Amino acid sequence: MKQILIADDHEVVRSGLRAIVESRADWAVSGEASDGRAAVAMIRELKPDIAIVDYSMPVLNGLEVSRQIKLHYPRTEVLILTMHESNEILTESLLAGVRGFLLKSDARHHLIAAIDALLNHRPYFTGVVVEKLLHDYLASKKDKSKVLLSLREQNVVQLIAEGHSNKSVSTVLNLSVKTVEAHRASAMRKLGVSSTAELVRYAIRMKLIGP
Protein backbone atom coordinates (compact mmCIF):
# COMPACT_ATOMS: atom_id res chain seq x y z
CA MET A 1 0.00 0.00 0.00
CA LYS A 2 1.53 3.30 -1.10
CA GLN A 3 1.27 6.09 1.47
CA ILE A 4 0.45 9.63 0.32
CA LEU A 5 0.35 12.81 2.40
CA ILE A 6 -1.71 15.85 1.38
CA ALA A 7 -0.71 19.36 2.50
CA ASP A 8 -3.08 22.21 1.61
CA ASP A 9 -4.64 24.92 3.75
CA HIS A 10 -8.09 24.48 2.19
CA GLU A 11 -10.14 21.58 3.53
CA VAL A 12 -12.26 21.32 0.39
CA VAL A 13 -9.12 20.92 -1.74
CA ARG A 14 -7.76 18.22 0.59
CA SER A 15 -11.08 16.36 0.40
CA GLY A 16 -11.06 16.47 -3.40
CA LEU A 17 -7.48 15.24 -3.60
CA ARG A 18 -8.20 12.48 -1.09
CA ALA A 19 -11.14 11.26 -3.18
CA ILE A 20 -8.94 11.03 -6.29
CA VAL A 21 -6.06 9.33 -4.46
CA GLU A 22 -8.28 6.78 -2.73
CA SER A 23 -9.93 5.80 -6.02
CA ARG A 24 -6.89 3.54 -6.31
CA ALA A 25 -7.15 0.46 -4.10
CA ASP A 26 -3.39 0.30 -3.55
CA TRP A 27 -3.03 3.94 -2.42
CA ALA A 28 -3.90 5.43 0.96
CA VAL A 29 -3.83 8.96 2.36
CA SER A 30 -1.71 8.63 5.48
CA GLY A 31 -2.12 12.20 6.68
CA GLU A 32 -3.40 15.71 5.95
CA ALA A 33 -1.77 19.00 6.94
CA SER A 34 -3.15 22.53 6.73
CA ASP A 35 0.15 24.44 7.03
CA GLY A 36 3.77 23.88 6.10
CA ARG A 37 5.15 23.27 9.57
CA ALA A 38 2.51 20.62 10.27
CA ALA A 39 3.34 19.01 6.91
CA VAL A 40 7.03 18.68 7.78
CA ALA A 41 6.17 17.22 11.19
CA MET A 42 3.83 14.65 9.62
CA ILE A 43 6.39 13.67 7.00
CA ARG A 44 8.97 13.18 9.74
CA GLU A 45 6.56 10.84 11.55
CA LEU A 46 4.85 9.05 8.64
CA LYS A 47 7.58 9.00 5.95
CA PRO A 48 5.07 8.78 3.07
CA ASP A 49 6.00 7.71 -0.44
CA ILE A 50 4.54 10.90 -1.92
CA ALA A 51 3.87 14.34 -0.46
CA ILE A 52 1.35 16.45 -2.38
CA VAL A 53 2.23 19.99 -1.32
CA ASP A 54 0.36 23.19 -2.07
CA TYR A 55 2.74 25.99 -3.07
CA SER A 56 0.90 28.70 -1.10
CA MET A 57 0.60 27.63 2.54
CA PRO A 58 0.91 29.59 5.80
CA VAL A 59 3.92 29.43 8.15
CA LEU A 60 6.12 27.42 5.75
CA ASN A 61 5.37 27.67 2.04
CA GLY A 62 5.52 24.73 -0.34
CA LEU A 63 9.07 25.54 -1.43
CA GLU A 64 10.42 25.47 2.12
CA VAL A 65 8.50 22.25 2.84
CA SER A 66 9.97 20.73 -0.33
CA ARG A 67 13.48 21.84 0.60
CA GLN A 68 13.21 20.21 4.01
CA ILE A 69 11.78 17.01 2.53
CA LYS A 70 14.57 16.68 -0.04
CA LEU A 71 17.19 17.45 2.62
CA HIS A 72 15.97 15.15 5.39
CA TYR A 73 13.60 12.64 3.74
CA PRO A 74 14.88 12.18 0.16
CA ARG A 75 12.90 8.94 -0.34
CA THR A 76 9.68 10.96 -0.22
CA GLU A 77 8.83 12.37 -3.65
CA VAL A 78 7.21 15.80 -3.80
CA LEU A 79 4.37 16.91 -6.06
CA ILE A 80 3.84 20.68 -5.96
CA LEU A 81 0.30 21.86 -6.60
CA THR A 82 -0.36 25.47 -7.52
CA MET A 83 -3.10 27.53 -9.09
CA HIS A 84 -0.58 30.00 -10.49
CA GLU A 85 1.18 29.74 -13.87
CA SER A 86 4.41 31.44 -12.85
CA ASN A 87 7.90 31.02 -14.27
CA GLU A 88 9.38 32.12 -10.94
CA ILE A 89 7.42 29.52 -8.98
CA LEU A 90 8.41 26.79 -11.43
CA THR A 91 12.09 27.77 -11.34
CA GLU A 92 12.17 27.90 -7.53
CA SER A 93 10.44 24.51 -7.33
CA LEU A 94 13.01 22.91 -9.62
CA LEU A 95 15.85 24.44 -7.59
CA ALA A 96 14.29 22.95 -4.45
CA GLY A 97 14.56 19.47 -5.97
CA VAL A 98 10.89 19.04 -6.82
CA ARG A 99 10.29 16.52 -9.63
CA GLY A 100 6.51 16.86 -9.87
CA PHE A 101 4.64 20.08 -10.68
CA LEU A 102 0.91 20.23 -11.33
CA LEU A 103 -1.54 23.08 -11.79
CA LYS A 104 -4.62 22.68 -9.60
CA SER A 105 -6.79 23.15 -12.67
CA ASP A 106 -5.18 19.99 -14.11
CA ALA A 107 -5.36 17.90 -10.95
CA ARG A 108 -8.60 16.09 -11.76
CA HIS A 109 -7.18 14.72 -15.02
CA HIS A 110 -3.48 14.42 -14.21
CA LEU A 111 -3.13 13.65 -10.49
CA ILE A 112 -3.14 9.85 -10.83
CA ALA A 113 -0.63 9.96 -13.69
CA ALA A 114 1.60 12.33 -11.71
CA ILE A 115 1.59 10.10 -8.63
CA ASP A 116 2.23 7.01 -10.76
CA ALA A 117 5.27 8.68 -12.31
CA LEU A 118 6.69 9.83 -8.99
CA LEU A 119 6.16 6.42 -7.38
CA ASN A 120 8.43 5.11 -10.14
CA HIS A 121 10.88 7.97 -9.47
CA ARG A 122 10.14 9.64 -12.79
CA PRO A 123 9.48 13.39 -13.07
CA TYR A 124 6.03 14.64 -14.00
CA PHE A 125 5.11 18.08 -15.33
CA THR A 126 1.86 18.95 -17.04
CA GLY A 127 1.99 20.05 -20.68
CA VAL A 128 1.60 23.76 -19.95
CA VAL A 129 4.64 23.60 -17.64
CA VAL A 130 6.75 21.85 -20.26
CA GLU A 131 5.70 24.50 -22.77
CA LYS A 132 6.81 27.23 -20.39
CA LEU A 133 10.20 25.59 -19.88
CA LEU A 134 10.72 25.21 -23.62
CA HIS A 135 9.60 28.77 -24.29
CA ASP A 136 12.00 30.18 -21.70
CA TYR A 137 14.87 28.10 -23.06
CA LEU A 138 14.29 29.20 -26.64
CA ALA A 139 13.66 32.82 -25.79
CA SER A 140 16.76 33.18 -23.57
CA LYS A 141 15.77 36.71 -22.72
CA LYS A 142 15.90 36.53 -18.96
CA ASP A 143 16.66 39.71 -17.05
CA LYS A 144 20.30 39.33 -16.03
CA SER A 145 19.86 41.82 -13.20
CA LYS A 146 17.18 39.71 -11.55
CA VAL A 147 18.45 37.66 -8.63
CA LEU A 148 16.16 35.02 -7.17
CA LEU A 149 15.95 34.89 -3.40
CA SER A 150 17.32 31.84 -1.65
CA LEU A 151 14.74 29.49 -0.17
CA ARG A 152 15.61 30.68 3.34
CA GLU A 153 15.30 34.34 2.34
CA GLN A 154 11.96 33.63 0.69
CA ASN A 155 10.70 31.87 3.80
CA VAL A 156 11.75 34.79 6.01
CA VAL A 157 10.01 37.22 3.64
CA GLN A 158 6.82 35.13 3.73
CA LEU A 159 6.69 35.10 7.53
CA ILE A 160 7.41 38.82 7.77
CA ALA A 161 4.66 39.48 5.22
CA GLU A 162 2.31 37.35 7.35
CA GLY A 163 2.95 39.77 10.23
CA HIS A 164 5.61 37.91 12.22
CA SER A 165 8.31 39.89 14.05
CA ASN A 166 11.99 39.00 13.61
CA LYS A 167 11.86 37.21 16.96
CA SER A 168 8.77 35.24 15.94
CA VAL A 169 10.40 34.28 12.63
CA SER A 170 13.48 33.07 14.52
CA THR A 171 11.28 30.81 16.66
CA VAL A 172 9.38 29.34 13.70
CA LEU A 173 12.52 28.66 11.64
CA ASN A 174 14.75 27.77 14.59
CA LEU A 175 17.25 30.47 13.70
CA SER A 176 18.89 33.22 15.75
CA VAL A 177 17.36 36.70 15.54
CA LYS A 178 20.65 37.95 14.03
CA THR A 179 20.44 35.32 11.28
CA VAL A 180 16.84 36.30 10.52
CA GLU A 181 17.87 39.96 10.36
CA ALA A 182 20.71 39.05 7.98
CA HIS A 183 18.35 37.09 5.68
CA ARG A 184 15.84 39.94 5.78
CA ALA A 185 18.49 42.52 4.90
CA SER A 186 19.87 40.32 2.10
CA ALA A 187 16.39 39.83 0.62
CA MET A 188 15.67 43.54 0.71
CA ARG A 189 19.01 44.31 -0.93
CA LYS A 190 18.39 41.77 -3.73
CA LEU A 191 14.88 43.07 -4.32
CA GLY A 192 15.91 46.71 -4.13
CA VAL A 193 13.29 47.53 -1.49
CA SER A 194 13.57 49.52 1.73
CA SER A 195 10.37 48.85 3.69
CA THR A 196 8.25 46.05 5.10
CA ALA A 197 5.34 47.22 2.93
CA GLU A 198 7.42 46.59 -0.18
CA LEU A 199 8.31 43.11 1.10
CA VAL A 200 4.60 42.43 1.56
CA ARG A 201 3.89 43.52 -2.01
CA TYR A 202 6.64 41.19 -3.26
CA ALA A 203 5.18 38.30 -1.24
CA ILE A 204 1.73 38.95 -2.72
CA ARG A 205 3.13 39.18 -6.26
CA MET A 206 5.01 35.88 -5.81
CA LYS A 207 1.86 34.27 -4.31
CA LEU A 208 3.66 33.55 -1.02
CA ILE A 209 0.64 35.06 0.75
CA GLY A 210 -2.82 36.08 -0.33
CA PRO A 211 -3.64 39.70 -1.17
Side-chain angles (χ1 to χ4, degrees), residues 195-210:
S195 69
T196 300
E198 289 174 299
L199 281 182
V200 172
R201 285 196 288 272
Y202 167 82
I204 292 173
R205 188 171 70 251
M206 288 297 293
K207 312 298 188 299
L208 296 176
I209 63 172

PDB file of all heavy atoms in Angstrom, residues 195-210:
ATOM      1  N   SER A 195      11.404  48.853   2.645  1.00  0.00           N
ATOM      2  CA  SER A 195      10.374  48.854   3.690  1.00  0.00           C
ATOM      3  C   SER A 195       9.662  47.515   3.766  1.00  0.00           C
ATOM      4  O   SER A 195       9.661  46.740   2.802  1.00  0.00           O
ATOM      5  CB  SER A 195       9.340  49.956   3.410  1.00  0.00           C
ATOM      6  OG  SER A 195       8.568  49.637   2.269  1.00  0.00           O
ATOM      7  N   THR A 196       9.033  47.267   4.911  1.00  0.00           N
ATOM      8  CA  THR A 196       8.248  46.047   5.096  1.00  0.00           C
ATOM      9  C   THR A 196       7.075  46.010   4.126  1.00  0.00           C
ATOM     10  O   THR A 196       6.717  44.954   3.605  1.00  0.00           O
ATOM     11  CB  THR A 196       7.736  45.960   6.543  1.00  0.00           C
ATOM     12  OG1 THR A 196       8.856  45.940   7.438  1.00  0.00           O
ATOM     13  CG2 THR A 196       6.907  44.697   6.758  1.00  0.00           C
ATOM     14  N   ALA A 197       6.483  47.166   3.861  1.00  0.00           N
ATOM     15  CA  ALA A 197       5.343  47.222   2.932  1.00  0.00           C
ATOM     16  C   ALA A 197       5.738  46.719   1.557  1.00  0.00           C
ATOM     17  O   ALA A 197       4.969  46.006   0.892  1.00  0.00           O
ATOM     18  CB  ALA A 197       4.813  48.649   2.834  1.00  0.00           C
ATOM     19  N   GLU A 198       6.953  47.052   1.122  1.00  0.00           N
ATOM     20  CA  GLU A 198       7.422  46.588  -0.182  1.00  0.00           C
ATOM     21  C   GLU A 198       7.687  45.085  -0.168  1.00  0.00           C
ATOM     22  O   GLU A 198       7.449  44.391  -1.164  1.00  0.00           O
ATOM     23  CB  GLU A 198       8.694  47.340  -0.576  1.00  0.00           C
ATOM     24  CG  GLU A 198       8.444  48.801  -0.927  1.00  0.00           C
ATOM     25  CD  GLU A 198       9.732  49.566  -1.163  1.00  0.00           C
ATOM     26  OE1 GLU A 198      10.548  49.660  -0.219  1.00  0.00           O
ATOM     27  OE2 GLU A 198       9.927  50.054  -2.287  1.00  0.00           O
ATOM     28  N   LEU A 199       8.137  44.560   0.972  1.00  0.00           N
ATOM     29  CA  LEU A 199       8.305  43.108   1.098  1.00  0.00           C
ATOM     30  C   LEU A 199       6.955  42.409   1.005  1.00  0.00           C
ATOM     31  O   LEU A 199       6.837  41.344   0.392  1.00  0.00           O
ATOM     32  CB  LEU A 199       8.970  42.756   2.437  1.00  0.00           C
ATOM     33  CG  LEU A 199      10.478  42.936   2.550  1.00  0.00           C
ATOM     34  CD1 LEU A 199      10.949  42.485   3.933  1.00  0.00           C
ATOM     35  CD2 LEU A 199      11.218  42.162   1.470  1.00  0.00           C
ATOM     36  N   VAL A 200       5.951  43.009   1.625  1.00  0.00           N
ATOM     37  CA  VAL A 200       4.597  42.429   1.565  1.00  0.00           C
ATOM     38  C   VAL A 200       4.100  42.406   0.129  1.00  0.00           C
ATOM     39  O   VAL A 200       3.535  41.409  -0.330  1.00  0.00           O
ATOM     40  CB  VAL A 200       3.620  43.217   2.463  1.00  0.00           C
ATOM     41  CG1 VAL A 200       2.182  42.740   2.241  1.00  0.00           C
ATOM     42  CG2 VAL A 200       4.000  43.061   3.935  1.00  0.00           C
ATOM     43  N   ARG A 201       4.327  43.481  -0.612  1.00  0.00           N
ATOM     44  CA  ARG A 201       3.894  43.522  -2.013  1.00  0.00           C
ATOM     45  C   ARG A 201       4.614  42.456  -2.835  1.00  0.00           C
ATOM     46  O   ARG A 201       4.010  41.817  -3.705  1.00  0.00           O
ATOM     47  CB  ARG A 201       4.138  44.921  -2.596  1.00  0.00           C
ATOM     48  CG  ARG A 201       3.130  45.969  -2.123  1.00  0.00           C
ATOM     49  CD  ARG A 201       3.169  47.210  -2.993  1.00  0.00           C
ATOM     50  NE  ARG A 201       4.380  47.991  -2.747  1.00  0.00           N
ATOM     51  CZ  ARG A 201       4.486  48.931  -1.816  1.00  0.00           C
ATOM     52  NH1 ARG A 201       3.450  49.203  -1.032  1.00  0.00           N
ATOM     53  NH2 ARG A 201       5.605  49.599  -1.675  1.00  0.00           N
ATOM     54  N   TYR A 202       5.893  42.255  -2.559  1.00  0.00           N
ATOM     55  CA  TYR A 202       6.645  41.193  -3.260  1.00  0.00           C
ATOM     56  C   TYR A 202       6.042  39.829  -2.929  1.00  0.00           C
ATOM     57  O   TYR A 202       5.850  38.991  -3.824  1.00  0.00           O
ATOM     58  CB  TYR A 202       8.111  41.222  -2.844  1.00  0.00           C
ATOM     59  CG  TYR A 202       8.885  39.991  -3.261  1.00  0.00           C
ATOM     60  CD1 TYR A 202       9.390  39.865  -4.555  1.00  0.00           C
ATOM     61  CD2 TYR A 202       9.091  38.938  -2.370  1.00  0.00           C
ATOM     62  CE1 TYR A 202      10.081  38.725  -4.952  1.00  0.00           C
ATOM     63  CE2 TYR A 202       9.785  37.795  -2.762  1.00  0.00           C
ATOM     64  CZ  TYR A 202      10.279  37.698  -4.036  1.00  0.00           C
ATOM     65  OH  TYR A 202      10.954  36.559  -4.432  1.00  0.00           O
ATOM     66  N   ALA A 203       5.739  39.592  -1.651  1.00  0.00           N
ATOM     67  CA  ALA A 203       5.184  38.295  -1.237  1.00  0.00           C
ATOM     68  C   ALA A 203       3.837  38.040  -1.897  1.00  0.00           C
ATOM     69  O   ALA A 203       3.532  36.904  -2.291  1.00  0.00           O
ATOM     70  CB  ALA A 203       5.041  38.251   0.291  1.00  0.00           C
ATOM     71  N   ILE A 204       3.029  39.086  -2.046  1.00  0.00           N
ATOM     72  CA  ILE A 204       1.725  38.951  -2.716  1.00  0.00           C
ATOM     73  C   ILE A 204       1.939  38.644  -4.197  1.00  0.00           C
ATOM     74  O   ILE A 204       1.291  37.775  -4.769  1.00  0.00           O
ATOM     75  CB  ILE A 204       0.881  40.214  -2.528  1.00  0.00           C
ATOM     76  CG1 ILE A 204       0.467  40.361  -1.059  1.00  0.00           C
ATOM     77  CG2 ILE A 204      -0.354  40.173  -3.436  1.00  0.00           C
ATOM     78  CD1 ILE A 204      -0.235  41.671  -0.747  1.00  0.00           C
ATOM     79  N   ARG A 205       2.863  39.364  -4.825  1.00  0.00           N
ATOM     80  CA  ARG A 205       3.129  39.176  -6.256  1.00  0.00           C
ATOM     81  C   ARG A 205       3.631  37.765  -6.549  1.00  0.00           C
ATOM     82  O   ARG A 205       3.298  37.167  -7.572  1.00  0.00           O
ATOM     83  CB  ARG A 205       4.147  40.199  -6.744  1.00  0.00           C
ATOM     84  CG  ARG A 205       4.338  40.196  -8.268  1.00  0.00           C
ATOM     85  CD  ARG A 205       5.190  41.359  -8.719  1.00  0.00           C
ATOM     86  NE  ARG A 205       6.579  41.221  -8.332  1.00  0.00           N
ATOM     87  CZ  ARG A 205       7.187  41.954  -7.397  1.00  0.00           C
ATOM     88  NH1 ARG A 205       6.498  42.890  -6.739  1.00  0.00           N
ATOM     89  NH2 ARG A 205       8.455  41.771  -7.105  1.00  0.00           N
ATOM     90  N   MET A 206       4.449  37.232  -5.639  1.00  0.00           N
ATOM     91  CA  MET A 206       5.010  35.884  -5.807  1.00  0.00           C
ATOM     92  C   MET A 206       4.073  34.803  -5.275  1.00  0.00           C
ATOM     93  O   MET A 206       4.423  33.629  -5.255  1.00  0.00           O
ATOM     94  CB  MET A 206       6.348  35.798  -5.087  1.00  0.00           C
ATOM     95  CG  MET A 206       7.474  36.571  -5.767  1.00  0.00           C
ATOM     96  SD  MET A 206       7.848  35.930  -7.410  1.00  0.00           S
ATOM     97  CE  MET A 206       8.518  34.321  -6.988  1.00  0.00           C
ATOM     98  N   LYS A 207       2.871  35.200  -4.807  1.00  0.00           N
ATOM     99  CA  LYS A 207       1.855  34.274  -4.309  1.00  0.00           C
ATOM    100  C   LYS A 207       2.316  33.537  -3.046  1.00  0.00           C
ATOM    101  O   LYS A 207       1.849  32.430  -2.759  1.00  0.00           O
ATOM    102  CB  LYS A 207       1.471  33.240  -5.381  1.00  0.00           C
ATOM    103  CG  LYS A 207       1.174  33.838  -6.757  1.00  0.00           C
ATOM    104  CD  LYS A 207       0.009  34.782  -6.742  1.00  0.00           C
ATOM    105  CE  LYS A 207      -0.419  35.222  -8.130  1.00  0.00           C
ATOM    106  NZ  LYS A 207       0.608  35.950  -8.884  1.00  0.00           N
ATOM    107  N   LEU A 208       3.244  34.154  -2.283  1.00  0.00           N
ATOM    108  CA  LEU A 208       3.655  33.553  -1.017  1.00  0.00           C
ATOM    109  C   LEU A 208       2.551  33.718   0.025  1.00  0.00           C
ATOM    110  O   LEU A 208       2.412  32.923   0.941  1.00  0.00           O
ATOM    111  CB  LEU A 208       4.949  34.189  -0.507  1.00  0.00           C
ATOM    112  CG  LEU A 208       6.196  33.990  -1.380  1.00  0.00           C
ATOM    113  CD1 LEU A 208       7.374  34.749  -0.792  1.00  0.00           C
ATOM    114  CD2 LEU A 208       6.523  32.516  -1.518  1.00  0.00           C
ATOM    115  N   ILE A 209       1.785  34.816  -0.109  1.00  0.00           N
ATOM    116  CA  ILE A 209       0.636  35.056   0.749  1.00  0.00           C
ATOM    117  C   ILE A 209      -0.490  35.577  -0.127  1.00  0.00           C
ATOM    118  O   ILE A 209      -0.261  36.000  -1.267  1.00  0.00           O
ATOM    119  CB  ILE A 209       0.925  36.084   1.875  1.00  0.00           C
ATOM    120  CG1 ILE A 209       1.260  37.463   1.273  1.00  0.00           C
ATOM    121  CG2 ILE A 209       2.050  35.598   2.781  1.00  0.00           C
ATOM    122  CD1 ILE A 209       1.368  38.563   2.305  1.00  0.00           C
ATOM    123  N   GLY A 210      -1.694  35.544   0.405  1.00  0.00           N
ATOM    124  CA  GLY A 210      -2.825  36.077  -0.332  1.00  0.00           C
ATOM    125  C   GLY A 210      -2.872  37.585  -0.249  1.00  0.00           C
ATOM    126  O   GLY A 210      -2.296  38.182   0.672  1.00  0.00           O
TER     127      GLY A 210
END
